[in-house]
mmCIF file of all heavy atoms in Angstrom:
data_model
loop_
_atom_site.group_PDB
_atom_site.id
_atom_site.type_symbol
_atom_site.label_atom_id
_atom_site.label_comp_id
_atom_site.label_asym_id
_atom_site.label_seq_id
_atom_site.Cartn_x
_atom_site.Cartn_y
_atom_site.Cartn_z
ATOM 1 N N VAL A 147 68.461 97.942 85.776
ATOM 2 C CA VAL A 147 67.733 96.827 85.154
ATOM 3 C C VAL A 147 68.355 95.509 85.609
ATOM 4 O O VAL A 147 69.560 95.308 85.448
ATOM 5 C CB VAL A 147 67.796 96.916 83.615
ATOM 6 C CG1 VAL A 147 66.993 95.779 82.982
ATOM 7 C CG2 VAL A 147 67.304 98.270 83.132
ATOM 8 N N GLY A 148 67.530 94.614 86.149
ATOM 9 C CA GLY A 148 68.029 93.311 86.594
ATOM 10 C C GLY A 148 67.762 93.140 88.074
ATOM 11 O O GLY A 148 67.647 94.123 88.814
ATOM 12 N N ALA A 149 67.647 91.868 88.501
ATOM 13 C CA ALA A 149 67.309 91.596 89.899
ATOM 14 C C ALA A 149 68.300 90.619 90.517
ATOM 15 O O ALA A 149 67.934 89.675 91.212
ATOM 16 C CB ALA A 149 65.890 91.037 89.983
ATOM 17 N N GLY A 150 69.592 90.876 90.252
ATOM 18 C CA GLY A 150 70.631 90.038 90.845
ATOM 19 C C GLY A 150 71.358 90.790 91.944
ATOM 20 O O GLY A 150 71.018 91.936 92.264
ATOM 21 N N ASN A 151 72.378 90.171 92.499
ATOM 22 C CA ASN A 151 73.130 90.816 93.586
ATOM 23 C C ASN A 151 73.938 92.012 93.103
ATOM 24 O O ASN A 151 74.182 92.938 93.872
ATOM 25 C CB ASN A 151 74.048 89.798 94.261
ATOM 26 C CG ASN A 151 73.284 88.935 95.253
ATOM 27 O OD1 ASN A 151 72.333 89.393 95.885
ATOM 28 N ND2 ASN A 151 73.699 87.686 95.398
ATOM 29 N N VAL A 152 74.348 91.996 91.821
ATOM 30 C CA VAL A 152 75.078 93.167 91.319
ATOM 31 C C VAL A 152 74.140 94.374 91.303
ATOM 32 O O VAL A 152 74.525 95.478 91.709
ATOM 33 C CB VAL A 152 75.683 92.893 89.919
ATOM 34 C CG1 VAL A 152 76.238 94.174 89.306
ATOM 35 C CG2 VAL A 152 76.794 91.839 90.018
ATOM 36 N N ALA A 153 72.898 94.171 90.885
ATOM 37 C CA ALA A 153 71.922 95.276 90.888
ATOM 38 C C ALA A 153 71.771 95.828 92.308
ATOM 39 O O ALA A 153 71.771 97.045 92.519
ATOM 40 C CB ALA A 153 70.577 94.788 90.352
ATOM 41 N N LEU A 154 71.669 94.941 93.297
ATOM 42 C CA LEU A 154 71.516 95.415 94.687
ATOM 43 C C LEU A 154 72.767 96.148 95.161
ATOM 44 O O LEU A 154 72.669 97.155 95.861
ATOM 45 C CB LEU A 154 71.224 94.244 95.638
ATOM 46 C CG LEU A 154 69.881 93.535 95.474
ATOM 47 C CD1 LEU A 154 69.601 92.623 96.676
ATOM 48 C CD2 LEU A 154 68.721 94.511 95.304
ATOM 49 N N ASP A 155 73.941 95.635 94.770
ATOM 50 C CA ASP A 155 75.195 96.322 95.150
ATOM 51 C C ASP A 155 75.195 97.757 94.631
ATOM 52 O O ASP A 155 75.529 98.698 95.352
ATOM 53 C CB ASP A 155 76.412 95.613 94.533
ATOM 54 C CG ASP A 155 76.858 94.380 95.321
ATOM 55 O OD1 ASP A 155 76.347 94.168 96.440
ATOM 56 O OD2 ASP A 155 77.724 93.638 94.811
ATOM 57 N N VAL A 156 74.825 97.892 93.358
ATOM 58 C CA VAL A 156 74.869 99.206 92.713
ATOM 59 C C VAL A 156 73.868 100.158 93.379
ATOM 60 O O VAL A 156 74.188 101.304 93.696
ATOM 61 C CB VAL A 156 74.569 99.029 91.199
ATOM 62 C CG1 VAL A 156 74.149 100.322 90.554
ATOM 63 C CG2 VAL A 156 75.796 98.456 90.503
ATOM 64 N N ILE A 157 72.680 99.657 93.630
ATOM 65 C CA ILE A 157 71.653 100.497 94.261
ATOM 66 C C ILE A 157 72.119 100.927 95.653
ATOM 67 O O ILE A 157 72.042 102.102 96.019
ATOM 68 C CB ILE A 157 70.320 99.716 94.357
ATOM 69 C CG1 ILE A 157 69.750 99.529 92.953
ATOM 70 C CG2 ILE A 157 69.335 100.432 95.277
ATOM 71 C CD1 ILE A 157 68.509 98.669 92.905
ATOM 72 N N ARG A 158 72.619 99.964 96.416
ATOM 73 C CA ARG A 158 73.034 100.275 97.797
ATOM 74 C C ARG A 158 74.190 101.274 97.800
ATOM 75 O O ARG A 158 74.166 102.250 98.543
ATOM 76 C CB ARG A 158 73.450 98.967 98.487
ATOM 77 C CG ARG A 158 73.450 99.015 99.995
ATOM 78 C CD ARG A 158 73.886 97.686 100.573
ATOM 79 N NE ARG A 158 75.224 97.306 100.181
ATOM 80 C CZ ARG A 158 75.524 96.382 99.281
ATOM 81 N NH1 ARG A 158 74.583 95.670 98.696
ATOM 82 N NH2 ARG A 158 76.781 96.128 98.960
#
Side-chain angles (χ1 to χ4, degrees):
V147 182
N151 280 327
V152 171
L154 293 193
D155 279 351
V156 161
I157 291 175
R158 200 181 61 255

